[in-house]
Each structure stands twice: as structure tokens, then as C-alpha cells.
């Protein structure tokens, strides 16, 4: 999510960077993915307003942050429907002021949500001045209507963006083979319905979602990856100041050795 500052420690208080979340997710993905020496993976830190992508591969410097067409490490989580074309990222953001009803953002927050009047997600869009035309499908799912009258679910819109982010990663590697193995960083408040919806979005996009990791766990793993807590305990409060939500997580770090059992005589 956007708005994250550089991680720091001050009196037991820290803030983490989006890159740290991406790094942690990559490490988790490496553990669960089976691949050879040429295996490459993507981690997508899917924010409600902006997204960061990281690439991991074998070598001395295994982790790199992916840049978009504008050479930026942070890409707007937006999709625009204009005159029969789909635009993503920076291109979509450039049209948001002129065509606010055609540029869809914060769709991550609509995953797993239902349609209907005065729902929390509809109130979110109203308070953020998003003039979207929304309706309810027969199964209760929330639908977004574009300029030509077509309707898309949140899963379909997020799937389009996931495909775009994966393509950015593939272009960054300058590889002929498209990267489709990803790990996704998700908000700590995501429950089963949101996770199922995000997994469905991945399937729609042809993305192989290896796993999820929430932002609090990602920040904790990134902070502790190069530190030792032997014979001591440390408590850190992590803040995540995102575009839609703010989170605070208190994490306790400690380290201990497990004595090996002696072989029976």
C-alpha cells in the first residue's frame, strides 16, 4: 500500500517499506515453489492505490524491484476503459481527473464484497468521490459498469491488473517466457472470502498464485531477517499507513536453541 515510509527503529516503534513486504513474500514463495536454477518468481505488494513488484532469481543479487514504463518502482493500482481500450498503471492514472467514472481504483478493497445499497464498499467509494456505476449480480456479487454498458466483477478487474503487473515483471527480466508464478502481499484484515476472491482473480489472469502473506508478517520477517535475538527479547510496533487503511502490529522477537535429545542407551 502507498504511503509507507522507510523502516526504522525508534524506542520500539518502526515503520516498514513496501519493498520489505515484497522481500518477505519472495522468501516464502521460494520455500514453496519447486524450480530449477533458472526459476524466477514475482512478489506483488498489492496496495489499494499503488502496487510494488519484486523479482527473485538465483544469483548473488537475487532480489530486484521491478520498474514500470515510467521507470518508477511504484505503479498505480488502476485500470481505465477508454474508447474500447484498456489502460493500466500510469496511463490510467493520467486520465483519472478527466474521466473519474472510467478509471477504477481501490478495487482490491471490493474483493469478496457483495453489492446492494449502502454497503461498506459502496460507502467507501462515495466518501472517496468515485462515481462508479455499481450493481448486484444474481449471486450477490458486486459489479462495476464501464462506459459501453459491460459489467465486470472485482475479481475480473483485479485479474486484469494482476496480468498487467506480471507482464511488467516479464518485461523487466527481458525474458521471452512470461512470468506467471507469484506471491501476493495482502492486508492483515483479509479473511477467507477475500483470499478466495483474490485467488479467483489470479486464475482469471492465468496467474499461478503460490501463496499469500499479510503485511504484518511480511514486515516482521523483513525486520528480523538479518538480526539476532539470542538471549534477548525485543518488541517492535509496526505501522502501515496505507491509502485506504492504517494498521498497527505489535510483534515480539526472541530466539532460543532447542537441545537435542540424547540417543537412548
Amino acid at each position: 500500500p502507498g504511503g509507507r515510509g522507510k523502516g526504522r527503529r525508534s524506542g520500539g516503534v518502526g515503520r516498514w517499506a513496501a519493498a520489505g513486504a515484497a522481500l518477505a513474500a519472495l522468501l516464502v514463495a521460494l520455500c514453496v515453489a519447486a524450480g530449477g536454477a533458472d526459476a524466477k518468481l514475482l512478489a506483488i505488494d498489492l496496495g489499494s492505490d499503488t502496487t510494488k513488484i519484486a523479482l527473485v532469481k538465483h544469483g548473488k543479487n537475487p532480489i530486484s524491484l521491478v520498474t514500470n514504463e515510467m521507470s518508477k518502482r511504484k505503479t498505480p493500482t488502476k485500470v481505465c476503459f477508454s474508447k474500447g481500450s484498456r489502460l493500466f498503471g500510469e496511463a490510467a492514472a493520467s486520465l483519472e481527473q478527466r474521466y473519474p467514472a472510467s478509471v477504477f481504483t481501490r478495487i482490491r478493497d471490493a474483493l469478496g464484497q457483495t453489492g446492494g445499497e449502502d454497503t461498506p464498499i459502496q460507502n467507501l467509494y462515495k466518501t472517496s468521490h468515485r462515481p462508479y456505476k455499481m450493481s448486484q449480480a444474481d449471486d450477490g456479487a458486486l459489479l462495476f459498469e464501464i462506459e459501453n454498458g459491460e459489467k465486470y466483477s472485482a475479481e475480473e478487474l483485479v485479474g486484469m491488473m494482476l496480468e498487467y503487473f506480471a507482464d511488467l515483471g516479464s518485461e523487466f527480466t527481458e525474458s521471452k517466457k512470461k512470468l506467471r508464478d507469484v506471491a501476493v502481499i495482502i492486508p492483515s484484515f483479509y479473511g477467507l472470502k477475500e483470499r478466495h476472491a483474490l485467488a479467483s482473480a489470479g486464475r482469471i489472469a492465468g496467474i499461478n498464485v503460490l501463496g499469500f502473506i499479510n503485511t504484518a508478517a511480511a514486515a516482521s520477517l523483513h525486520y528480523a531477517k538479518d538480526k539476532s535475538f539470542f538471549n534477548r527479547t525485543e518488541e517492535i510496533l509496526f505501522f502501515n499507513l496505507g491509502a485506504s487503511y492504517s494498521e498497527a502490529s505489535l510483534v515480539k522477537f526472541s530466539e532460543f536453541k532447542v537441545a537435542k535429545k540424547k540417543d537412548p542407551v
Side-chain angles (χ1 to χ4, degrees), residues 87-174:
L87 303 174
F88 299 92
E90 298 288 349
S94 67
L95 299 175
E96 190 170 13
Q97 297 299 322
R98 285 183 288 171
Y99 308 107
S102 299
V103 179
F104 293 90
T105 187
R106 298 194 176 184
I107 304 301
R108 180 206 71 174
D109 301 329
L111 288 171
Q113 304 302 311
T114 57
E117 296 295 330
D118 295 326
T119 59
I121 189 63
Q122 286 195 336
N123 291 331
L124 172 65
Y125 290 131
K126 288 179 182 178
T127 55
S128 58
H129 306 290
R130 306 286 173 181
Y132 301 147
K133 293 182 179 179
M134 294 174 283
S135 60
Q136 189 175 19
D138 293 338
D139 61 356
L142 179 63
L143 297 177
F144 296 86
E145 184 176 336
I146 65 173
E147 58 183 4
N148 64 1
E150 293 182 355
K151 297 180 180 181
Y152 293 96
S153 66
E155 289 86 345
E156 290 173 315
L157 293 176
V158 171
M160 295 175 190
M161 288 186 273
L162 286 177
E163 184 178 14
Y164 166 70
F165 294 140
D167 287 342
L168 283 180
S170 299
E171 293 171 5
F172 183 80
T173 63
E174 298 182 352

